Amino acid sequence: MKSIAIDMDEVIADISPRFLELYHRDFNTPLDIQLKPGQEIYEVMPPEAQDKWVEYIHAPGFFKDLPVMPDSQRVVQALQQQYEVYIVSAATEFRNSLIDKLDWLNLHFPFISWQHIVFCGKKIVNTDIIIDDRTKNFVDFKGRKILYSAPHNLLIKDIERVHNWQEVADKLL
Amino acid sequence: MKSIAIDMDEVIADISPRFLELYHRDFNTPLDIQLKPGQEIYEVMPPEAQDKWVEYIHAPGFFKDLPVMPDSQRVVQALQQQYEVYIVSAATEFRNSLIDKLDWLNLHFPFISWQHIVFCGKKIVNTDIIIDDRTKNFVDFKGRKILYSAPHNLLIKDIERVHNWQEVADKLL
């Protein structure tokens, strides 16, 4: 059985609305900001707010209430029938994210067992496939790399890409 | 540069004294119990206490104050000069262990960056070498496997083994 490593933030967990909500609260920025291809969310915030994301992301609870990406639960559960599915998230940078992320997974993806959860820094996993929104996580990866589209990565070319979970299903199921 | 995955419990963190202390507190067992080869600590406890370890290990703080294995800090820091060193610990089974383990590492191994910490279930890492006290973590591992001796694994034969951190240094430095 082949194995897949699936990222969390911006792949199964939608992190942008949470950032927008916090920037809106603190700087009265609009809640419907559209990022241009290649842009990170902090880059479109007012100068005095650009470093604020570090504080937000470190706060307890930030990762706890993130919305689930559309169709991700259904498709991940279907993938489990054909693949050994791991959730692999860069989490050790953010101390308070660890429990939030575990609780979030247990709530929204209860069919993922603790054996199949990896919280790490560098993604040194040996799965056959990786689905991630950051190409830095592909650097030392030997298997098939699938980039999950997010505004910040839309300028990257010559890479296998999916725009949503239905496309993951079309490719892998 | 070759890479090494190093386990935490019973390899760099000495988990037995903490168990003995808690069993002693709750069941007045001796503090100097010696395990025979192949024995797990709960197996030598009175029948009414055998399931208690699950409760201990899930409690917040259990992993926070574990003693450091002799020579492990010095040798791990020396290994970093020649290898990319990762700490890879099965932690996602125990929700409360995540922050305890991160804090413990930051306190006792501050030279290990967050990029080099992996908290997981199954150890699906692609390093060149693994040092671990549980052979179940060797099953799908492709590289060099070094068993770190602990009472429970002393009956396992035909495997590369180290008994202490000086032996790790002698082999790998």
Side-chain angles (χ1 to χ4, degrees):
Chain A
M1 193 182 255
K2 287 197 173 183
S3 55
I4 309 184
I6 298 173
D7 182 31
M8 286 181 77
D9 302 324
E10 300 189 88
V11 176
I12 60 172
D14 194 359
I15 203 168
S16 306
R18 191 98 172 93
F19 273 123
L20 286 179
E21 190 187 305
L22 293 167
Y23 279 113
H24 178 72
R25 182 194 68 189
D26 295 346
F27 301 95
N28 202 30
T29 56
L31 279 167
D32 59 350
I33 286 171
Q34 296 296 315
L35 298 181
K36 290 184 198 140
Q39 275 184 328
E40 303 278 354
I41 200 156
Y42 54 84
E43 294 174 332
V44 296
M45 292 300 150
E48 70 274 20
Q50 287 193 3
D51 292 337
K52 200 72 177 178
W53 69 274
V54 180
E55 181 187 311
Y56 294 153
I57 210 166
H58 275 96
F62 178 88
F63 290 95
K64 203 177 166 178
D65 302 318
L66 300 184
V68 179
M69 283 288 195
D71 299 324
S72 61
Q73 288 149 309
R74 175 179 61 80
V75 175
V76 170
Q77 196 159 19
L79 286 170
Q80 279 189 317
Q81 305 305 310
Q82 297 179 39
Y83 301 86
E84 190 151 17
V85 175
Y86 294 90
I87 303 298
V88 180
S89 177
T92 49
E93 184 176 6
F94 309 110
R95 178 177 182 274
N96 292 314
S97 78
L98 292 164
I99 282 185
D100 282 348
K101 284 181 178 235
L102 192 68
D103 289 347
W104 189 92
L105 284 171
N106 288 337
L107 180 64
H108 298 293
F109 291 78
F111 44 87
I112 300 281
S113 73
W114 64 265
Q115 288 94 339
H116 292 85
I117 297 172
V118 181
F119 293 147
C120 56
K122 286 199 202 177
K123 298 197 173 178
I124 54 164
V125 293
N126 60 12
T127 56
D128 298 293
I129 302 170
I130 190 169
I131 303 175
D132 208 294
D133 69 306
R134 300 270 171 191
T135 52
K136 70 176 179 187
N137 295 320
F138 294 165
V139 175
D140 293 319
F141 186 76
K142 302 280 185 273
R144 179 176 172 186
K145 306 159 187 68
I146 300 178
L147 188 67
Y148 195 95
S149 283
H152 66 79
N153 69 32
L154 288 179
L155 298 178
I156 296 169
K157 296 188 195 300
D158 301 323
I159 196 155
E160 184 174 7
R161 178 189 287 279
V162 289
H163 297 89
N164 53 57
W165 273 94
Q166 187 51 52
E167 283 188 26
V168 176
D170 295 342
K171 274 178 182 285
L172 298 181
L173 289 174
Chain B
M1 194 181 252
K2 286 196 172 183
S3 55
I4 309 183
I6 298 173
D7 182 31
M8 286 182 75
D9 302 325
E10 299 190 89
V11 175
I12 60 171
D14 194 359
I15 203 168
S16 307
R18 191 99 173 91
F19 273 123
L20 286 178
E21 189 187 306
L22 293 167
Y23 280 112
H24 178 72
R25 180 193 70 189
D26 295 346
F27 301 96
N28 202 30
T29 56
L31 279 167
D32 60 349
I33 286 171
Q34 296 295 317
L35 299 181
K36 289 184 199 141
Q39 274 184 329
E40 303 277 355
I41 201 158
Y42 55 82
E43 294 175 332
V44 297
M45 292 298 149
E48 69 275 19
Q50 288 194 1
D51 293 336
K52 200 71 177 179
W53 69 274
V54 180
E55 182 187 311
Y56 294 154
I57 210 165
H58 274 96
F62 179 87
F63 290 95
K64 203 177 167 179
D65 302 317
L66 300 184
V68 179
M69 282 289 195
D71 299 323
S72 61
Q73 288 149 307
R74 175 179 59 82
V75 176
V76 170
Q77 196 159 18
L79 286 170
Q80 278 189 318
Q81 305 305 310
Q82 296 179 40
Y83 301 86
E84 190 151 18
V85 175
Y86 294 90
I87 303 298
V88 180
S89 176
T92 49
E93 184 176 6
F94 309 110
R95 178 178 182 276
N96 292 314
S97 76
L98 293 164
I99 282 185
D100 283 347
K101 284 180 179 234
L102 192 67
D103 289 347
W104 189 92
L105 284 171
N106 288 338
L107 179 64
H108 298 293
F109 291 79
F111 45 86
I112 300 280
S113 73
W114 64 266
Q115 288 94 337
H116 292 85
I117 297 173
V118 181
F119 294 146
C120 56
K122 287 198 201 178
K123 299 197 174 178
I124 54 164
V125 292
N126 61 13
T127 55
D128 298 292
I129 302 171
I130 190 169
I131 303 175
D132 208 294
D133 68 306
R134 300 270 171 191
T135 53
K136 70 176 179 187
N137 294 321
F138 294 165
V139 174
D140 293 318
F141 186 77
K142 301 281 185 272
R144 179 175 173 186
K145 307 159 186 71
I146 300 178
L147 188 67
Y148 196 96
S149 284
H152 66 79
N153 70 31
L154 289 178
L155 297 178
I156 297 169
K157 295 188 196 301
D158 301 324
I159 196 155
E160 184 174 5
R161 177 189 288 278
V162 289
H163 297 89
N164 54 57
W165 275 93
Q166 186 51 52
E167 284 188 26
V168 176
D170 295 343
K171 275 178 182 287
L172 298 181
L173 290 175

